[in-house]
Amino acid sequence: QTVVTQESSLTVSPGGTVTLTCASSTGAVSAVYYANWFQLKPGQAPRSLIYNVTNKHSWTPARFSGSLLGGKAALTLSGVRPEDEADYYCLVRYGGPWVFGGGTKVTVL
Amino acid sequence: QVQLVQSATEVKRPGASVRISCEASGYIFVTYYIHCVRQAPGQGLEWMGVIGPDGSRPIYAQKFQGRLAMTTATSTTTVYTGTVYMDLSSLRPDDTATYFCVRERHGGVFDFWGQGTLVSVSS
């Protein structure tokens, strides 16, 4: 069974930078995995941030960016704000099915 | 504007089935895929399945094969609305979760989400 692994938790100071990663048990993540990133806050529906590894939606704040880093998909938050405290999930495609990572809890402290 | 509006909270007994609807509007319905995602209490997001824009070729996570069925209903009056139904059968207490629908443009572009439907399974 395919497993997608993310850091369980990360802490960042306001104004700082943090990078979340998304690794696949099948090997290096590449563009064909169509990696997406989502932000989830308690009591809310997920919010789409990044699609196809690097692309932002019109509503995605400029401080969020996606990339490939060392065989993993990555989400970097630069100039972090208190409102960025949330859970972040990557989603990758394996042919037909998709698989979510376990999520990363980002604490702004 | 694009909207995905889901049906209301459901409370079910173990062994029962539940139907969740996801009414899409504000875009040409048949040009997007619709996925089903859930989040159990205290757990992460879980991908369950996807249905093609014309209702064909649903793909389900192996875990839900045989229990999940996704279907679509297109409007007869406008191309800008349609509904996706997510039927989950043989419910168990660990199916208690909030279920979401989310839209995908072909090529992995996920954008708009439904508001979520809470399904509670308890005897």
Side-chain angles (χ1 to χ4, degrees):
Chain A
Q1 180 175 336
T2 303
V3 177
V4 178
T5 301
Q6 299 181 240
E7 297 84 2
S8 58
S9 64
L10 293 168
T11 300
V12 58
S13 300
T17 297
V18 64
T19 296
L20 292 62
T21 66
C22 174
S24 170
S25 62
T26 62
V29 175
S30 65
V32 300
Y33 286 79
Y34 299 103
N36 279 251
W37 289 93
F38 306 98
Q39 179 190 65
L40 184 57
K41 294 182 177 181
Q44 298 184 16
R47 179 188 182 198
S48 301
L49 294 175
I50 300 289
Y51 62 92
N52 291 349
V53 181
T54 60
N55 297 281
K56 300 179 188 182
H57 292 286
S58 58
W59 55 81
T60 304
R63 62 185 181 275
F64 291 87
S65 62
S67 64
L68 290 176
L69 195 63
K72 302 177 185 179
L75 175 69
T76 298
L77 287 65
S78 306
V80 169
R81 297 183 179 182
E83 60 263 34
D84 297 333
E85 184 163 292
D87 295 329
Y88 292 84
Y89 292 87
C90 65
L91 176 65
V92 294
R93 183 180 177 185
Y94 292 90
W98 294 74
V99 178
F100 276 102
T104 298
K105 181 176 183 60
V106 172
T107 300
V108 182
L109 202 58
Chain B
Q1 71 280 22
V2 175
Q3 283 191 302
L4 299 178
V5 179
Q6 298 184 224
S7 48
T9 296
E10 298 270 9
V11 179
K12 296 292 183 180
R13 300 293 190 195
S17 298
V18 66
R19 165 167 279 198
I20 300 166
S21 65
C22 173
E23 184 173 348
S25 61
Y27 67 97
I28 299 175
F29 179 69
V30 295
T31 57
Y32 284 79
Y33 295 86
I34 296 290
H35 295 249
C36 181
V37 172
R38 75 179 186 181
Q39 184 183 32
Q43 304 297 312
L45 297 176
E46 182 173 29
W47 183 84
M48 298 178 68
V50 57
I51 190 163
D54 60 356
S56 63
R57 298 184 293 123
I59 297 172
Y60 306 123
Q62 188 171 9
K63 175 179 179 179
F64 298 104
Q65 288 187 7
R67 286 210 302 142
L68 176 63
M70 298 179 69
T71 55
T72 63
T74 54
S75 170
T76 56
T77 57
T78 173
V79 299
Y80 294 101
T81 62
T83 302
V84 171
Y85 297 99
M86 300 172 283
D87 295 299
L88 189 62
S89 60
S90 302
L91 290 169
R92 306 184 289 254
D94 63 0
D95 289 317
T96 295
T98 299
Y99 291 74
F100 297 97
C101 56
V102 54
R103 189 182 82 158
E104 179 213 349
R105 191 176 75 225
H106 181 67
V109 185
F110 288 77
D111 50 19
F112 291 93
W113 292 73
Q115 83 276 18
T117 297
L118 175 62
V119 175
S120 178
V121 183
S122 173
S123 54

